[in-house]
Amino acid sequence: KQEVTQIPAALSVPEGENLVLNCSFTDSAIYNLQWFRQDPGKGLTSLLLIQSSQREQTSGRLNASLDKSSGRSTLYIAASQPGDSATYLCAVTITQGGSEKLVFGKGTKLTVNP
Amino acid sequence: DGGITQSPKYLFRKEGQNVTLSCEQNLNHDAMYWYRQDPGQGLRLIYYSQIVNDFQKGDIAEGYSVSREKKESFPLTVTSAQKNPTAFYLCASAGTGGAEQYFGPGTRLTVT
């Protein structure tokens, strides 16, 4: 059974710092990996999608990498800002019985202090 | 505006009552999903549907039911058989072929 783990569960950094969030998964048979952001009481916003054949994706100050063989992904946030404070969720897409499903980690709660 | 809408944002019910949560999308996505989110537990899949008139149970389907009569709509009914219905419910949709999932704003259900 696929399991997704995110470490650390919470992270607090001063503004301007570069930081890395980690995600690991137990089964390398994934379709893709997606990073989401969730603000308190809100839905999820997709940040980056990495297909299983890709190694990384970039969007602005965000860079996500994928190492399928080792079952790891990282989300790098450059020059963090207080507005980056949120919970970041990692999810892998698996196929099961012809259907596609996401398996989520529990998230990393990020606080960026001014 | 394209997107996914969920209504209502907050819902209160008495124990023993069934309640239906709405999810509508105008993204022309084939696949739709319902998740439940509890503090410290992450998102858990309740039901999903890849095409109209077809749906599958997710990891925690007991006490829930769904229908998919239209491509745009995927309502979730929380029945009185669900032992701990109080939670934050999220709906999502996606195209096929490993496409990105898009989420609605969520409905917070409180049952007392």
Side-chain angles (χ1 to χ4, degrees), chain A residues 33-50:
Chain A
L33 184 143
Q34 205 166 347
W35 282 94
F36 294 90
R37 169 189 172 134
Q38 186 177 31
D39 293 292
K42 307 285 188 187
L44 276 63
T45 300
S46 179
L47 297 172
L48 289 164
L49 172 74
I50 311 176

Side-chain angles (χ1 to χ4, degrees), chain A residues 1-4 23-35 49-54 65-73 90-96 100-103, chain B residues 97-98:
Chain A
K1 180 186 173 186
Q2 179 74 266
E3 291 182 2
V4 179
C23 171
S24 61
F25 46 95
T26 54
D27 188 339
S28 62
I30 63 169
Y31 208 127
N32 58 40
L33 184 143
Q34 205 166 347
W35 282 94
L49 172 74
I50 311 176
Q51 299 294 348
S52 61
S53 58
Q54 296 176 320
S65 68
L66 174 63
D67 184 341
K68 217 172 69 156
S69 60
S70 67
R72 294 176 191 271
S73 175
C90 163
V92 296
T93 300
I94 62 172
T95 53
Q96 193 171 84
E100 295 166 15
K101 297 167 48 176
L102 254 61
V103 179

